[in-house]
Amino acid sequence: MPIIDMHCDTISRDTFSAEGLRRNHLQIDLHKMKEAGYLLQNFALFVNMETDPNPLVSGLRMADMFHEEMSKNADLIRPVTTYKEIEENHRLGLMSGLLTLEEGEICQGEIPILRDFYRLGVRMITLTWNHFNSIGAPNNYKTASSVHGEPDMTGLTGKGFAFITEMERLGVIIDVSHLSDGGFYDVLHHTSRPFVASHSNARSLAPHCRNLTDDMIRHMGERGCVTGLNYCKGFLNPFEIWADAKGGALDIARHARHITNVGGMDVLGLGSDFDGCDNDFRDCSQMYLLENELKKQGFKASEIDKIFYQNVLRLYKEILR
């Protein structure tokens, strides 16, 4: 089964610089991806503004590591910036790597820096992480939008509106995971093209502010957007009762059923958050467990294809030109 995963934090892990991408002790490496049948993996450049004194330098350093690893492992994977490159890699039997930013403040609120990251191959940006930045407000338990509290309707800043306008012009996918509820609706009402929530689940099943409300899911389905199932325990089950991959897959399947019931079969993809969260999978080679669970829960093979890769590929075909 081909797999497209819209989010992992592998490059930002401390051990990545020592072990690299081909084989490592993380949840994602090239041999595990190949075993599972990956078509494409998004690789996020993640920085924590609270602990990193210079997000821009960190982002550039990780971008360099990404491109170095793509060069070293060109027999297995190659970087992509367009849909045609994804098709060509697949034709050659190669996997694809797409570069993303998780924390828009890497760009320091500067449109020229946004364009520079575009030139480096970045084609998706998560506008915020867990801290307020020059683009907008996050959905974070530390903010007014607590895990179980009232939604935070603080939205995008003036720079944030300028950012999403330029991102649409360039063909950089807007990612609303981590963005406040107000920011979500700002993006919805001030853009015209599909966007993503690269790693977010259903708030009605797991009442975490990082998840999407049914109204958000409905709007995303109507726009042709995609949300990626996040495997993080806290975003799947408020009781976190599972302790193995089969239990985790069952919870993911529950969210998959709810999200597709609300937003339609075209709204859902994968956004594992591998190497960035506490989940029940050993590594990405175990994706067959999720496929099996979705079958058990009544999803047809054609529907699983949509979730595993087709919906995201459709959106990439529209935006990555």
Side-chain angles (χ1 to χ4, degrees):
M1 169 77 69
I3 296 169
I4 296 180
D5 179 358
M6 287 196 289
H7 185 78
C8 75
D9 286 303
T10 308
I11 291 178
S12 67
R13 292 293 296 269
D14 291 339
T15 56
F16 179 80
S17 58
E19 297 188 23
L21 190 58
R22 197 173 190 89
R23 289 189 187 275
N24 59 48
H25 293 88
L26 301 171
Q27 289 186 301
I28 285 185
D29 70 27
L30 296 181
H31 284 274
K32 295 164 193 165
M33 288 169 59
K34 191 74 173 175
E35 178 184 346
Y38 272 66
L39 175 64
L40 184 150
Q41 176 66 55
N42 285 13
F43 290 95
L45 310 183
F46 163 70
V47 298
N48 183 343
M49 287 170 54
E50 201 168 59
T51 58
D52 194 320
N54 200 327
L56 173 58
V57 171
S58 296
L60 290 171
R61 185 178 292 118
M62 286 185 285
D64 179 70
M65 284 196 294
F66 169 81
H67 285 293
E68 285 295 298
E69 289 298 320
M70 292 295 109
S71 296
K72 290 176 186 175
N73 298 290
D75 60 321
L76 292 176
I77 190 169
R78 292 181 187 171
V80 293
T81 59
T82 67
Y83 176 76
K84 286 184 178 179
E85 289 172 341
I86 298 170
E87 281 191 310
E88 178 64 10
N89 283 351
H90 184 56
R91 187 184 69 79
L92 294 172
L94 298 167
M95 297 180 289
S96 293
L98 186 73
L99 191 60
T100 77
L101 302 184
E102 185 179 29
E103 176 51 86
E105 195 59 21
I106 292 175
C107 297
Q108 298 184 341
E110 296 290 337
I111 296 292
I113 297 177
L114 165 63
R115 289 195 285 259
D116 282 338
F117 274 105
Y118 175 83
R119 296 178 185 111
L120 286 172
V122 169
R123 291 297 183 270
M124 181 184 294
I125 297 179
T126 313
L127 299 179
T128 65
W129 188 58
N130 287 347
H131 310 294
F132 288 91
N133 65 19
S134 60
I135 294 172
N139 251 346
N140 179 357
Y141 67 92
K142 294 180 180 178
T143 73
S145 179
S146 65
V147 174
H148 304 293
E150 291 299 315
D152 185 353
M153 298 311 294
T154 307
L156 299 182
T157 65
K159 285 186 177 181
F161 285 112
F163 253 71
I164 62 173
T165 298
E166 183 66 2
M167 287 171 69
E168 281 208 305
R169 187 191 73 80
L170 290 170
V172 177
I173 300 164
I174 297 167
D175 180 8
V176 299
S177 282
H178 287 283
L179 191 62
S180 67
D181 286 16
F184 174 94
Y185 287 104
D186 282 343
V187 170
L188 177 70
H189 296 311
H190 292 85
T191 59
S192 59
R193 306 179 77 179
F195 55 88
V196 304
S198 66
H199 53 303
S200 296
N201 297 326
R203 200 179 299 179
S204 63
L205 294 188
H208 195 292
C209 62
R210 273 278 289 102
N211 288 336
L212 301 170
T213 66
D214 286 357
D215 185 66
M216 293 173 179
I217 294 167
R218 223 173 271 115
H219 280 298
M220 290 184 72
E222 293 167 357
R223 172 72 70 84
C225 305
V226 179
T227 184
L229 290 163
N230 189 326
Y231 310 163
C232 179
K233 292 181 182 181
F235 302 154
L236 287 169
N237 189 324
F239 305 107
E240 299 185 23
I241 60 175
W242 303 110
D244 58 55
K246 290 184 179 179
L250 175 59
D251 261 339
I252 296 169
R254 288 175 57 245
H255 280 263
R257 178 58 70 195
H258 180 84
I259 290 169
T260 54
N261 282 346
V262 173
M265 272 309 309
D266 294 338
V267 80
L268 191 59
L270 302 178
S272 67
D273 211 354
F274 274 143
D275 294 317
C277 73
D278 182 18
N279 61 68
D280 287 319
F281 293 97
R282 181 184 68 244
D283 56 55
C284 67
S285 69
Q286 291 192 306
M287 285 303 92
Y288 66 90
L289 294 172
L290 178 56
E291 181 183 356
N292 292 343
E293 190 59 48
L294 289 170
K295 289 177 181 176
K296 288 180 186 177
Q297 298 305 314
F299 284 91
K300 301 174 185 177
S302 60
E303 294 173 331
I304 298 173
D305 283 343
K306 285 192 170 190
I307 295 169
F308 267 51
Y309 75 101
Q310 288 178 352
N311 288 337
V312 176
L313 196 60
R314 179 259 307 161
L315 185 146
Y316 286 5
K317 184 176 182 179
E318 180 172 347
I319 297 180
L320 303 181
R321 296 174 182 257

